[in-house]
Amino acid sequence: MCAITYHAGRRIQGTSTDVAPIQGGWKEIARTTTGSALSTISVGSIPDKRYYMVLTNIVGKTSDGVNWQTRMGNGSIDTGSNYSMRYSLNGGSDSASSGSDSIQAGTNPTDLPQFNVAYIANLAGKEKLYMSHDVNQETAGAGNAPNRTEVAGKWDTTGSQITNIAVWADGGGSAYDTGSFIKVWGSD
């Protein structure tokens, strides 16, 4: 039975012996924030966790628009044809791709903001499953709805745990402006 007391200011208090501590949860384990415009943002030396949550914020720089991609690796980023995905843009019909050199994460941020949340299962001996949701501003103004992308993918490797994650602009150039970031959270 928990002994809970109510205090001034609507505070509720219990003692540490009242409840068992919560185990696990998400903890930030790596991050990179750009100090200048780049075409790739990467995070390395990621500790081994069973699951990752990757938050990516793109401050777009180019007016041409780019599709930005996610890659993973162990020691170095895998740029081989080891990725497969299924994705949908703005709730439309889905498209599939296999034997790709990356997983599409978002589309056409141009010089407008874009935000992505991705989850990766990093299970030993299994392909690394990936799921993400992306939103970008499209055109400024209250009358213009944002774009969205949903992606389900995998890194087709079973022999390696993830130690590196990168996002890159397939259109090249310095598409990600100062202040863009990638943050990785881990959970066991």
Side-chain angles (χ1 to χ4, degrees), residues 35-184:
S36 62
L38 300 169
S39 62
T40 300
I41 308 170
S42 62
V43 174
S45 301
I46 298 171
D48 182 19
K49 297 290 182 185
R50 189 171 181 151
Y51 304 104
Y52 297 120
M53 176 173 49
V54 183
L55 306 177
T56 307
N57 184 64
I58 302 298
V59 179
K61 182 174 170 138
T62 178
S63 60
D64 299 332
V66 295
N67 288 326
W68 67 280
Q69 315 288 327
T70 298
R71 289 176 166 159
M72 296 164 245
N74 181 286
S76 62
I77 296 296
D78 183 355
T79 60
S81 301
N82 299 312
Y83 302 90
S84 301
M85 67 182 153
R86 182 173 299 280
Y87 59 95
S88 173
L89 306 174
N90 293 321
S93 59
D94 65 332
S95 299
S97 173
S98 60
S100 301
D101 65 356
S102 58
I103 298 172
Q104 181 169 327
T107 180
N108 284 336
T110 64
D111 58 347
L112 300 171
Q114 185 162 348
F115 183 72
N116 181 284
V117 178
Y119 298 94
I120 303 170
N122 187 39
L123 303 176
K126 304 286 183 188
E127 294 177 324
K128 309 311 178 235
L129 298 178
Y130 174 96
M131 175 181 67
S132 76
H133 298 278
D134 178 80
V135 62
N136 71 62
Q137 182 179 323
E138 183 53 39
T139 304
N144 300 304
N147 287 320
R148 75 179 195 272
T149 307
E150 293 86 25
V151 179
K154 65 181 180 175
W155 178 33
D156 302 328
T157 185
T158 58
S160 299
Q161 297 295 106
I162 296 170
T163 60
N164 305 66
I165 299 173
V167 295
W168 67 283
D170 72 354
S174 298
Y176 308 135
D177 209 353
T178 303
S180 296
F181 66 77
I182 180 172
K183 295 181 182 179
V184 180

